[in-house]
Amino acid sequence: MKKPIATFLLGALVLTACGTGGGSPSPPPKSGGTVAWGACTDLVGPDGKQLTPGPGVECGKLPVPLDHAKPDGEKIDLALIRVKATGDRLGSLVFNFGGPGASGVDSLAMAATAFSKLGTRYDLVSFDPRGVDRSAGVTCGDTFARMLASEADADQDALAAEFARTCQKESGKVLPHVGTVNAAKDLDLLRAALGDRRLNYFGFSYGTHLGAVYATHFPKNVGRFVLDGAFDPSVTFEERAVIQATGFDQALEAFAKDCVAQSCELGADPAAVVKTVEDFVEGLKTKPIKVGDRELTFWLGQLAVITPLYAKQSWPMLEQATAAALKGNATILLALADSYTGRRPDGTYNTMMTSLQAINCADYAERPTAAQMERINERVKKIFPVLSFDGVTGGACDHWPVRGDDAARRVDATGSAPIMVVGGKGDPATPYRWATSLTAKLRTGVLVTYEGEGHGAYLSGDACVMKTVDAYVIEGKVPAAGTTCAA
């Protein structure tokens, strides 16, 4: 997202072991413990208040090795949630809702009703991956909050260095052991603990990356897999930045056309609407907007604008919030930015953004130079000025205390059962081309195309997508090649 915020954002919006390249899979981990299920006592809703779990909802913990190379060594607990099947049970269906860094425990607690059809036949299960929230979550003091509140011309490199030092001080033990490869090994321990011979899995956004890495390492353990909002981990940082900038530019243009068609406060034609939004964000560099005792800064303004572009259902909010902010009231935009960054009503943050940083820096050896970042910014600025990052001198992982590697970028699920990949033509964060490329790299992938807007197709509520996915997960009906769902 800039540097730090811009380079957190671009290339990390997805969001998105030792790759086997189709050779021998990783040996199965030693079977871990069993899960002691009990009442859920700490579920948190989007308003920061405690959620009351619905019927059949249980929480638990699964001990896993901190270092998978030392399976009998120190353990950390993975936090789990389960919504028990309401009908004739086929097994468990494990979810990852993206990030990287999103709490699967809180997400499933809020979203379970969206999967009610699947929940008739499966226990719906999710977890906080290692380094996230309740599972040894990465914390970094208040440095991230100060980065968000900083002036556009602040010394971002110094802030990034301080951020890295604080993360090391507070979470140094877990930082070398986060990342998608280790999370995939945890997934196999979870599969065994749930008593399933094969893992049935539903991954969204970054969750498609985790699923692809799992299938690469444990192809024979792949059950019914759905990867929705697909991410191709093989692309470089520059390619991610440019492709995502293109995706969000297309989403902003689609929003502008839709807004004008319904009488838009932001301009008389689509080009005017786009210019209004771009000029507004640019203006925050020199004139942040006061909101109570806080400010909508340039960094927060960027996040506020892109957040409603993720789903067509939230486009009206972008119009209303921007129109209000142009009149001096940025309350809604600030709330949108807070929802993106995991800020709670009491001013604290969950680990979403700090976990994202730790996982991304573990998953990539790439560390762009200042010259590379300048070139990337110039390309991004021409495509989607809202996410430009002038003055950035390096990537978000420059000062990170742990060196990354590229093991999680290699994907090849040869030998696995068919894996359903769902790609949306209007997906801004994980553009359609990544669905096609990930399908090819998996070698066992089957592509389903959704022609509508938004990030992730199943949760759009599209009847065709839902019917196709449900038939595959419940009945094992693999979709035909070229299956397409119109918007």
Side-chain angles (χ1 to χ4, degrees):
M1 296 164 172
K2 285 317 155 234
K3 165 51 185 268
I5 307 305
T7 54
F8 257 120
L9 256 185
L10 276 170
L13 283 169
V14 209
L15 18 98
T16 193
C18 312
T20 63
S24 301
S26 297
K30 288 187 178 181
S31 74
T34 56
V35 182
W37 296 102
C40 298
T41 58
D42 64 347
L43 300 179
V44 181
D47 58 359
K49 296 180 180 178
Q50 186 166 330
L51 280 176
T52 301
V57 179
E58 302 173 312
C59 290
K61 293 182 179 180
L62 175 67
V64 297
L66 173 64
D67 183 349
H68 279 289
K70 300 175 181 177
D72 297 320
E74 183 177 357
K75 300 289 195 295
I76 58 174
D77 286 330
L78 293 186
L80 311 175
I81 187 170
R82 175 173 69 178
V83 184
K84 298 183 76 172
T86 58
D88 187 11
R89 182 180 180 276
L90 291 172
S92 300
L93 179 62
V94 179
F95 290 79
N96 180 283
F97 293 96
S103 166
V105 172
D106 291 332
S107 296
L108 184 58
M110 291 183 284
T113 55
F115 306 100
S116 57
K117 179 73 177 289
L118 299 175
T120 62
R121 304 301 305 277
Y122 287 91
D123 291 343
L124 308 181
V125 177
S126 194
F127 64 109
D128 290 356
R130 60 172 56 218
V132 175
D133 248 352
R134 305 163 183 83
S135 301
V138 172
T139 61
C140 306
D142 67 348
T143 50
F144 178 69
R146 290 194 285 114
M147 286 155 57
L148 289 171
S150 64
E151 299 289 338
D153 59 355
D155 187 342
Q156 300 295 326
D157 192 63
L159 287 169
E162 183 184 358
F163 176 74
R165 285 193 300 271
T166 309
C167 295
Q168 172 66 15
K169 180 180 178 182
E170 295 192 5
S171 299
K173 182 178 77 171
V174 73
L175 293 184
H177 305 294
V178 299
T180 303
V181 171
N182 283 317
K185 294 177 179 179
D186 290 340
L187 259 183
D188 207 55
L189 290 173
L190 175 56
R191 173 199 60 77
L194 293 170
D196 291 337
R197 187 172 64 88
R198 295 179 183 271
L199 176 69
N200 302 304
Y201 178 82
F202 203 146
F204 294 91
S205 195
Y206 163 78
T208 68
H209 184 194
L210 176 57
V213 170
Y214 179 90
T216 297
H217 284 267
F218 305 102
K220 300 301 183 184
N221 293 347
V222 168
R224 295 172 185 175
F225 260 51
V226 180
L227 307 181
D228 184 0
F231 173 58
D232 179 355
S234 68
V235 297
T236 65
F237 178 86
E238 181 166 356
E239 289 169 330
R240 294 199 305 280
V242 170
I243 291 170
Q244 287 187 318
T246 302
F248 277 97
D249 176 63
Q250 292 170 348
L252 181 60
E253 290 181 357
F255 154 76
K257 290 176 183 176
D258 184 75
C259 191
V260 169
Q262 302 182 54
S263 181
C264 189
E265 288 191 66
L266 304 181
D269 58 71
V273 173
V274 169
K275 187 173 189 306
T276 296
V277 173
E278 291 176 348
D279 288 351
F280 169 74
V281 174
E282 180 70 17
L284 292 172
K285 287 183 177 179
T286 54
K287 292 184 178 180
I289 301 175
K290 289 283 289 182
V291 181
D293 59 356
R294 300 174 64 200
E295 287 185 333
L296 183 75
T297 63
F298 173 63
W299 313 124
L300 287 166
Q302 289 180 308
L303 297 177
V305 166
I306 67 165
T307 296
L309 290 177
Y310 273 79
K312 187 174 182 178
Q313 298 94 314
S314 56
W315 286 358
M317 188 179 295
L318 176 57
E319 178 194 6
Q320 295 160 16
T322 305
L326 288 168
K327 299 171 186 174
N329 183 354
T331 303
I332 302 174
L333 283 179
L334 189 59
L336 286 169
D338 287 347
S339 71
Y340 192 101
T341 59
R343 189 180 191 272
R344 305 183 182 104
D346 65 0
T348 62
Y349 288 78
N350 63 27
T351 73
M352 165 65 106
M353 303 308 291
T354 48
S355 301
L356 179 150
Q357 171 82 342
I359 294 166
N360 278 341
C361 292
D363 278 355
Y364 294 90
E366 192 176 12
R367 301 292 188 260
T369 65
Q372 289 171 324
M373 290 303 299
E374 184 176 355
R375 182 182 71 243
I376 294 168
N377 182 49
E378 288 306 308
R379 294 186 67 186
V380 168
K381 188 185 295 186
K382 290 177 182 177
I383 299 167
F384 189 58
V386 169
L387 285 180
S388 65
F389 44 97
D390 294 324
V392 171
T393 57
C397 297
D398 271 7
H399 302 283
W400 201 246
V402 177
R403 293 180 65 182
D405 64 53
D406 289 326
R409 297 177 68 182
R410 296 188 286 273
V411 170
D412 183 340
T414 297
S416 81
I419 296 172
M420 181 188 293
V421 180
V422 185
K425 288 285 186 74
D427 191 325
T430 50
Y432 181 71
R433 71 181 78 178
W434 285 349
T436 61
S437 58
L438 180 64
T439 301
K441 288 181 173 67
L442 286 168
R443 302 187 186 279
T444 54
V446 179
L447 178 63
V448 173
T449 299
Y450 171 54
E451 294 185 331
E453 299 288 339
H455 182 42
Y458 191 89
L459 291 175
S460 73
D462 180 79
C464 171
V465 172
M466 296 180 74
K467 181 179 178 181
T468 304
V469 170
D470 292 348
Y472 168 65
V473 175
I474 295 174
E475 303 168 40
K477 292 182 179 179
V478 179
T483 296
T484 299
C485 291

